[in-house]
């Protein structure tokens, strides 16, 4: 995911300050996020310098205590209909609850966030809320990163026949590229109409796909700084047949094996995040340039 902060913040410096605080066991200055009966906090942070990739990487272990959630156990010695059993005797009070965790990696120079997926993990929405609170920024969004295959499929079209996208209409325009005057005018008009979205469709017969690829990268990439893209489809002709690519669904992900000894530890998940980042780094490096204000 691309982490888009709507106000300029030095993410690298902020994460480094948090890392130093945790290294010195100074936890008082780190924000804790409370959502209803849940408390989300940073349980640990690790810094990895990847010299071969010319990038710092921060690994965060985020934990959540849900005081409203009930802990349920199962007994495999019983038949399927009676395996659910009462929770064990835990000294439950207003300060205790079930604990879940998520591990993420952040490239602060390119604002890339790698998130692990699991059944017992914190939702992406709450991770976004937590990072917004942790980094003390007023607004933040997660934008999907297109995978290499989606970009290659567009390049392999004989003709691009249609570009169709929909993006949220922001109430202020300070973070939109000033050179994109047409888009700014669209947003202003949508705002006057109290519309939440701007939907644009271009019909064309382009054999040169460079401008389409540039537009697609701009909509989801680090150079756009626009509101969230809700829909992004490219249609074209390949070998005489019509084809369409849903670029929101074709997001960048890594699907691989995790290596561990007796049980999976947080360090094992961190190693998986580092490996998956390294596997995709060449593609990320070409797609997302380092901004001067993040150095």
């Amino acid at each position: 995911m691309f982490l888009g902060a709507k106000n300029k913040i030095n993410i690298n410096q902020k994460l480094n300050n948090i890392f130093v605080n945790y290294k010195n066991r100074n936890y008082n200055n780190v924000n804790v996020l409370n959502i209803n009966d849940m408390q989300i906090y940073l349980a640990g942070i690790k810094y990895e310098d990847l010299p071969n990739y010319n990038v710092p990487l921060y690994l965060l272990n985020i934990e959540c205590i849900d005081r409203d959630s009930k802990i349920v156990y199962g007994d495999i010695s019983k038949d399927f209909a009676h395996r659910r059993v009462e929770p064990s005797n835990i000294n439950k009070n207003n300060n205790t609850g079930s604990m879940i965790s998520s591990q993420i990696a952040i490239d602060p120079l390119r604002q890339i966030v790698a998130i692990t997926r699991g059944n017992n993990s914190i939702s992406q929405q709450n991770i976004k809320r937590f990072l917004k609170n942790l980094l003390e920024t007023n607004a933040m969004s997660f934008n999907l990163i297109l995978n290499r295959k989606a970009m290659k499929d567009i390049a392999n079209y004989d003709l691009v026949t249609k570009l169709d996208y929909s993006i949220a209409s922001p109430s202020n325009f300070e973070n939109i590229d000033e050179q994109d005057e047409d888009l700014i005018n669209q947003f202003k008009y949508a705002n006057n109409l109290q519309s939440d979205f701007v939907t644009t469709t271009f019909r064309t017969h382009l054999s040169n796909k460079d401008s389409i690829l540039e537009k697609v990268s701009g909509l989801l990439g680090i150079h756009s700084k626009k509101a969230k893209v809700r829909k992004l489809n490219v249609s074209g002709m390949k070998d005489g047949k019509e084809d369409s690519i849903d670029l929101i669904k074709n997001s960048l992900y890594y699907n691989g094996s995790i290596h561990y000894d007796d049980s999976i530890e947080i360090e094992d998940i961190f190693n998986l995040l580092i490996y998956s980042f390294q596997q995709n780094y060449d593609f990320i490096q070409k797609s997302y340039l380092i901004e001067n204000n993040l150095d």
Side-chain angles (χ1 to χ4, degrees):
M1 296 251 184
F2 164 64
L3 189 157
K6 291 187 178 180
N7 59 324
K8 292 183 178 179
I9 58 172
N10 193 323
I11 294 176
N12 190 33
Q13 186 60 52
K14 289 230 177 226
L15 287 173
N16 183 66
N17 291 341
I18 294 169
F19 172 74
V20 171
N21 282 333
Y22 269 68
K23 188 177 180 180
N24 295 329
R25 300 183 181 277
N26 178 18
Y27 310 121
N28 295 328
N29 295 325
V30 179
N31 293 337
V32 173
L33 178 63
N34 290 287
I35 303 176
N36 298 327
D37 287 324
M38 292 190 304
Q39 184 181 91
I40 306 177
Y41 57 94
L42 182 64
I45 182 170
K46 184 178 180 181
Y47 174 80
E48 285 285 337
D49 187 8
L50 305 180
N52 294 334
Y53 296 86
N54 191 31
V55 63
L57 201 64
Y58 287 93
L59 302 157
L60 281 65
N61 180 36
I62 305 168
E63 290 183 351
C64 171
I65 295 178
D66 188 349
R67 289 173 292 180
D68 193 45
S69 176
K70 295 181 179 180
I71 302 172
V72 179
Y73 290 89
D75 186 348
I76 60 174
S77 66
K78 299 181 179 181
D79 60 57
F80 294 135
H82 301 91
R83 286 189 170 179
R84 186 184 179 99
V85 296
E86 291 297 322
S88 62
N89 291 327
I90 298 176
N91 184 21
K92 177 140 188 187
N93 53 52
N94 291 334
N95 296 319
T96 62
S98 62
M99 180 184 291
I100 57 176
S101 66
S102 288
Q103 291 73 41
I104 68 173
I106 300 179
D107 169 1
L109 302 186
R110 293 182 175 82
Q111 300 188 45
I112 304 297
V113 181
I115 300 176
T116 55
R117 289 185 177 180
N119 293 329
N120 191 28
S121 59
I122 302 171
S123 69
Q124 288 186 9
Q125 178 67 19
N126 282 338
I127 289 177
K128 183 180 72 173
R129 291 177 179 177
F130 170 77
L131 289 178
K132 173 185 170 183
N133 188 64
L134 182 74
L135 299 174
E136 299 176 311
T137 179
N138 294 328
M140 181 178 291
S141 63
F142 277 172
N143 297 318
L144 295 175
I145 301 175
L146 296 180
N147 61 23
R148 194 189 308 263
K149 183 180 182 301
M151 303 298 281
K152 185 177 179 181
D153 286 344
I154 296 174
N156 287 336
Y157 277 164
D158 299 322
L159 290 174
V160 173
T161 57
K162 187 171 70 170
L163 171 63
D164 189 18
Y165 62 87
S166 178
I167 50 184
S169 174
S171 57
N172 64 76
F173 312 97
E174 62 182 12
N175 292 315
I176 299 175
D177 189 347
E178 294 180 358
Q179 296 179 351
D180 204 337
E181 187 175 346
D182 291 338
L183 185 61
I184 291 177
N185 290 333
Q186 282 182 294
F187 277 146
K188 287 181 177 179
Y189 183 64
N191 203 44
N192 290 335
L193 296 178
Q194 297 182 339
S195 174
D196 294 330
F197 298 97
V198 171
T199 299
T200 305
T201 300
F202 295 102
R203 295 188 181 276
T204 180
H205 288 86
L206 282 177
S207 57
N208 184 348
K209 283 84 64 176
D210 290 345
S211 61
I212 295 293
L213 290 170
E214 182 180 356
K215 184 66 175 179
V216 166
S217 298
L219 285 168
L220 296 182
I222 198 169
H223 304 291
S224 64
K225 294 184 179 178
K226 298 181 179 69
K228 188 172 182 180
V229 179
R230 303 289 185 180
K231 179 179 72 173
L232 181 56
N233 296 314
V234 173
S235 302
M237 301 291 295
K238 183 179 179 182
D239 299 329
K241 297 180 180 179
E242 294 183 358
D243 188 47
S244 181
I245 303 172
D246 185 339
L247 296 172
I248 297 298
K249 292 182 178 179
N250 282 273
S251 58
L252 183 65
Y253 73 96
Y254 172 79
N255 184 13
S257 302
I258 184 169
H259 302 284
Y260 59 94
D261 294 326
D262 297 326
S263 60
I264 297 179
E265 305 292 340
I266 292 174
E267 192 69 25
D268 299 318
I269 300 177
F270 280 165
N271 290 336
L272 176 66
L273 284 169
I274 292 171
Y275 183 76
S276 64
F277 185 84
Q278 290 172 334
Q279 292 298 105
N280 291 294
Y281 181 71
D282 288 343
F283 177 67
I284 290 173
Q285 185 183 33
K286 293 176 182 177
S287 303
Y288 290 79
L289 302 176
I290 297 176
E291 288 194 323
N292 292 332
N293 67 302
L294 296 176
D295 290 339

